[in-house]
């Protein structure tokens, strides 16, 4: 879960989030190098007094500064596309969970079992136990197996919601009249917290998600 003053991404709990973390670091490194280079060149332009009155055109340098950014963009685009396709890949799921967004709570159905469904509401602050997490704990947690492919089907009954668990790298829009599907695998035990990530009305902040 996110902790106080944590400005980075959460620790990954799935192979997909691990790859997303790597991609983030990879892209940030490229951006840092570009920023330093451009900053250095701008600094040099401002502070030196060199002039060349015979320099009318520079064909070579123009070719270099057109092709180089294109190559750099390819280094960002290819890993990004690979990840996009990986996120859409549906491997044979061991279990299917259906999540339905309401104003302002989630209801869950385990589609592989008969009549296994429940609502999940946030625990109000005045009913919270001493070791509970304020605005994050729910009365009924989703219990899912570790090291198994899990398929989640997400929809909503009223307005747009978004089912999001950052440490699993999962974010699916819940749209009324539409069933969205996503696949993930949890590779370590624990409690994983998430929240609705689509503004859905007055109590948007008070419909958390807890996976056990």
């Amino acid at each position: 879960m996110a902790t106080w003053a944590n400005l980075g991404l959460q620790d990954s709990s799935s192979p997909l989030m691990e790859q997303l973390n790597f991609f983030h670091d990879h892209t940030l490194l490229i951006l840092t190098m570009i920023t330093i280079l451009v900053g250095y060149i701008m600094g040099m332009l401002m502070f030196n007094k060199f002039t060349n009155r015979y320099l009318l055109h520079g064909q070579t340098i123009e070719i270099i500064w057109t092709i180089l950014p294109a190559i750099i963009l390819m280094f960002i685009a290819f890993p990004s596309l690979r990840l996009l396709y990986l996120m859409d890949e549906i491997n044979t799921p061991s279990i299917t969970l259906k999540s339905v967004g309401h104003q302002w709570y989630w209801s869950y159905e385990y589609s592989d079992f008969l009549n296994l469904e429940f609502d999940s509401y946030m625990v109000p602050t005045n009913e919270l136990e001493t070791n509970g997490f304020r605005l994050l704990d729910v009365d009924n947690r989703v219990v899912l197996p570790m090291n198994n492919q899990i398929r989640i089907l997400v929809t909503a009954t009223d307005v747009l919601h978004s089912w999001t668990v950052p440490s699993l790298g999962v974010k699916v829009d819940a749209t009324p009249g539409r069933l969205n599907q996503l696949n993930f695998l949890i590779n370590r035990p624990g409690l994983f917290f998430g929240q609705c990530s689509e503004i859905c009305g007055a109590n948007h902040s008070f419909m958390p998600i807890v996976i056990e």
Side-chain angles (χ1 to χ4, degrees):
M1 65 179 291
T3 48
W4 176 251
N6 175 21
L7 299 177
L9 298 167
Q10 293 182 26
D11 290 343
S12 71
S13 307
S14 74
L16 200 62
M17 188 56 191
E18 209 168 277
Q19 291 297 313
L20 285 166
N21 269 333
F22 289 147
F23 177 66
H24 170 266
D25 295 345
H26 165 78
T27 312
L28 200 64
L29 197 67
I30 293 172
L31 286 175
T32 307
M33 293 190 317
I34 292 170
T35 308
I36 290 168
L37 180 68
V38 172
Y40 173 76
I41 291 168
M42 285 175 72
M44 288 296 99
L45 278 172
M46 287 174 188
F47 296 116
N48 72 40
K49 297 285 191 290
F50 299 135
T51 52
N52 184 346
R53 57 204 184 100
Y54 299 112
L55 186 66
L56 299 174
H57 63 86
Q59 214 78 51
T60 319
I61 190 74
E62 284 187 16
I63 289 168
I64 291 168
W65 74 42
T66 304
I67 290 172
L68 205 63
I71 293 168
I72 291 169
L73 281 175
M74 281 163 68
F75 272 98
I76 296 174
F78 288 135
S80 171
L81 284 168
R82 174 180 157 270
L83 264 175
L84 274 173
Y85 280 102
L86 270 177
M87 289 169 83
D88 264 350
E89 192 72 45
I90 297 291
N91 304 308
T92 318
S94 309
I95 189 167
T96 300
L97 174 73
K98 186 181 178 188
S99 172
V100 184
H102 305 267
Q103 283 180 312
W104 289 271
Y105 65 96
W106 295 99
S107 59
Y108 297 99
E109 299 168 21
Y110 286 86
S111 314
D112 307 291
F113 307 97
L114 290 172
N115 301 327
L116 185 47
E117 47 187 82
F118 56 89
D119 295 335
S120 179
Y121 288 88
M122 184 192 80
V123 179
T125 309
N126 57 345
E127 293 173 21
L128 207 59
E129 291 178 22
T130 44
N131 60 350
F133 295 107
R134 194 178 74 90
L135 302 185
L136 279 179
D137 256 323
V138 293
D139 54 0
N140 293 313
R141 294 169 175 167
V142 180
V143 179
L144 290 173
M146 198 177 98
N147 292 328
N148 277 284
Q149 289 293 340
I150 297 155
R151 170 173 56 192
I152 179 151
L153 304 171
V154 183
T155 187
T157 53
D158 35 48
V159 296
L160 290 176
H161 298 279
S162 185
W163 198 87
T164 308
V165 182
S167 61
L168 298 176
V170 175
K171 184 171 186 169
V172 204
D173 279 350
T175 313
R178 182 190 171 100
L179 208 57
N180 287 328
Q181 171 177 271
L182 208 74
N183 196 63
F184 62 92
L185 179 142
I186 304 169
N187 62 8
R188 64 191 177 109
L191 284 180
F192 308 113
F193 294 90
Q195 286 173 302
C196 175
S197 300
E198 187 74 62
I199 304 285
C200 58
N203 293 335
H204 160 66
S205 315
F206 310 117
M207 47 183 300
I209 298 149
V210 183
I211 294 178
E212 188 175 324

